[in-house]
Amino acid sequence: MSTAAHRRPASALRASQGRHDRATSGRAAARALALAFLAADWGRPALLAAGFEALGRRPRWMGPLVTRVLGAYRDPPADRPRELAGFLEAVLPPFVPNRIVVRRAVPTRVVRLRWDTPHLDDLAALAEFLGVDGDRLDWFADRREINRKTTTEALRHYRYEWRPHRLIEAPKPRLRALQRTLLDGLLGRVPVHPAAHGFVPGRSPFTFAAPHAGRPVVVRLDLAAFFTSVSVSRVYGLFRAMGYPEPVAHALAALCTTSTPADVLRGHPDAFALRAPHLPQGAPSSPAIANLCTFRLDRRLDGVADAFGAVYTRYADDLAFSGDLNLGAARRLIRLVERVAVAEGFRINPAKTRVRGRGDRQRLAGLVVNDGPAAPREEYDRLRAILHAAARDGLEAANRDGRADFAAHLAGRIAWVGRGRPARAAKLRELYMAALATEL
């Protein structure tokens, strides 16, 4: 068969080109009209005049177009010019000429903030809030995807370390400082769902596990690839939901997400999803954003729990349900949780799903909850043995892992293992004080 037989007919090519030209002209006209409308007073006479001025003519369809705009937007969408342009492009008549006479430059602004977060009208305000200039903001937001494309370490914003089943993407100091500013000054002011306990001030693995203590059946599930599943579009949607204008939300999302370079992924074919922009596991802002982006998931799973007469909590990617459930009800609950997770852009790792009754050891976030949330007995025994050795031979001799501040590490372990168990805590503190005395 000849090559010519595979060629598209000239009429088809012309039709395709015509559709492309119409789409291009419609898009250009929609953008120009969106800016013209936003620069005018939000009323029919002013919008008509602005539209006529932008196009340099008075088409008959302008009146019905303005009517549709005012019907869709009671107030001017000053924080979302792209959305308005998209609306106009969808309702413009076909064959709109692409000749634009007047183009307006209209600054965006916050229309309404949902929470007590900084008022950031535009990129200049965002740069000032972060303490950088516009060029630095653009660099750290990586708009040209240099971080993903380059193989030069100095040009990258992240350092990468593969661990079993996950990649740690740690931002370098300057980007980490910006993300910390966003965490402390912006993200931390937005409430999370009551069921979320991980990385939330005032909450902990103990508050996560406590509602399930002494319950007949405990069901534990795990969200696979938790941070990777939170896409840049979802993060952008979060900042838009807070009330930030489109350009500011895009920049904020870019600062808090990353695309993993191809050379880092080489040899890890199962990590292909990391090529797309996602939350980096290792950034200080990622846990808070993940909690906020799972608000709807938490709300739906809380409803699932209510339907089964159960209780629901979440610690990062760990989901916990408990109640008076028979095996059939537990299985139905698990199937429903899996469907809800998929609908919300997540998936359950079936290998980590557990159903435990009273006769089993019920564990959540490393705590046993059969009676009350507490560290396992073997963890207490192990720590007591270390403290015995430290009291007998000194802290340095007992520090087999070479920890930098072994005394502080032991104090932290005592607080963890002794919580909720006063007798355990007293015995461990006694040994700890004896170990400190060997250093005097």
Side-chain angles (χ1 to χ4, degrees), residues 25 57 79 98 119 124 150 163 175 178 209-210 259 281 284 295 299 332 350 359 366 369-371 383-385 422:
S25 64
R57 57 191 183 281
D79 59 337
N98 59 9
H119 194 102
T150 186
R163 296 182 185 177
L175 177 58
L178 298 184
S259 300
Q281 186 165 351
F295 188 95
R299 185 174 60 187
R332 290 195 299 274
V369 298
N370 291 70
D371 298 317
L383 179 57
R384 187 177 62 174

Side-chain angles (χ1 to χ4, degrees), residues 6 59 76 107 120 130 183 185 206 218 261 275 283 309 311 313 317 326 337-338 353 363 397 401 418 429-430:
H6 293 284
L120 306 173
L130 293 173
L183 173 62
F206 284 90
V218 174
R275 290 177 179 268
V311 175
T313 59
D317 54 359
N326 59 35
V337 169
E338 290 173 340
T353 299
R363 293 190 63 165
D401 294 330
R429 282 196 294 268
E430 179 184 344

Side-chain angles (χ1 to χ4, degrees), residues 69-405:
V69 168
L70 293 174
Y73 296 95
R74 184 183 63 181
D75 300 309
D79 59 337
R80 49 195 193 280
R82 294 186 185 181
E83 179 189 304
L84 178 58
F87 174 83
L88 290 170
E89 185 179 354
V91 300
L92 278 173
F95 305 106
V96 175
N98 59 9
R99 179 172 173 268
I100 309 299
V101 175
V102 177
R103 296 183 185 273
R104 297 288 184 186
V106 182
T108 58
R109 61 179 176 84
V110 169
V111 173
R112 182 179 71 90
L113 291 173
R114 294 185 62 183
W115 296 284
D116 181 25
T117 53
H119 194 102
L120 306 173
D121 282 322
D122 50 30
L123 294 180
L126 175 59
E128 182 179 0
F129 171 71
L130 293 173
V132 297
D133 59 28
D135 290 338
R136 290 268 181 166
L137 176 61
D138 189 65
W139 165 250
F140 286 116
D142 197 28
R143 295 183 184 279
R144 290 177 288 177
E145 296 188 316
I146 293 175
N147 185 82
R148 182 177 67 85
K149 296 175 182 177
T150 186
T151 58
T152 304
E153 174 64 25
L155 295 179
R156 287 180 171 171
H157 294 314
Y158 290 84
R159 295 188 176 95
Y160 304 93
E161 178 187 350
W162 279 102
R163 296 182 185 177
H165 311 298
R166 59 178 175 155
L167 173 65
I168 299 300
E169 299 177 285
K172 292 181 179 179
R174 287 182 294 177
L175 177 58
R176 174 177 288 272
L178 298 184
Q179 292 170 340
R180 173 62 64 178
T181 298
L182 293 175
L183 173 62
D184 296 338
L186 192 154
L187 296 165
R189 300 185 180 188
V190 183
V192 300
H193 193 277
H197 290 260
F199 315 105
V200 180
R203 304 181 197 177
S204 68
F206 284 90
T207 64
F208 161 68
H212 308 285
R215 308 278 284 182
V217 174
V218 174
V219 180
R220 179 167 61 86
L221 304 98
D222 177 83
L223 293 173
F226 181 51
F227 287 101
T228 307
S229 298
V230 181
S231 65
V232 67
S233 59
R234 183 173 295 192
V235 178
Y236 167 76
L238 167 67
F239 288 119
R240 283 288 299 119
M242 290 183 189
Y244 289 112
E246 291 168 336
V248 175
H250 275 296
L252 287 168
L255 288 169
C256 297
T257 59
T258 187
S259 300
T260 310
D263 64 300
V264 175
L265 299 177
R266 195 168 295 123
H268 299 272
D270 56 335
F272 181 80
L274 292 169
R275 290 177 179 268
H278 59 274
L279 283 183
Q281 186 165 351
S285 52
S286 290
I289 292 175
N291 274 338
L292 295 173
C293 286
T294 52
F295 188 95
R296 192 171 126 130
L297 173 71
D298 288 333
R299 185 174 60 187
R300 293 184 66 180
L301 293 184
D302 198 39
V304 169
D306 283 344
F308 283 83
V311 175
Y312 162 70
T313 59
R314 179 178 61 81
Y315 193 92
D317 54 359
D318 286 339
L319 313 179
F321 298 82
S322 64
D324 191 4
L325 305 167
N326 59 35
L327 184 58
R331 287 174 175 170
R332 290 195 299 274
L333 182 145
I334 290 170
R335 288 195 296 270
L336 189 53
V337 169
E338 290 173 340
R339 289 200 293 270
V340 170
V342 169
E344 292 298 324
F346 297 93
R347 61 185 177 87
I348 300 296
N349 181 355
K352 294 187 177 181
T353 299
R354 299 287 185 271
V355 180
R356 295 290 183 262
R358 288 191 189 274
D360 305 312
R361 173 178 278 193
Q362 300 169 332
R363 293 190 63 165
L364 295 172
L367 300 170
V368 178
V369 298
N370 291 70
D371 298 317
R377 174 74 192 198
E378 59 268 23
E379 193 169 344
Y380 164 71
D381 291 339
R382 187 163 52 249
L383 179 57
R384 187 177 62 174
I386 294 172
L387 289 168
H388 266 298
R392 183 184 66 243
D393 305 322
L395 287 171
E396 185 175 352
N399 187 12
R400 296 182 179 180
D401 294 330
R403 296 186 180 275
D405 191 342

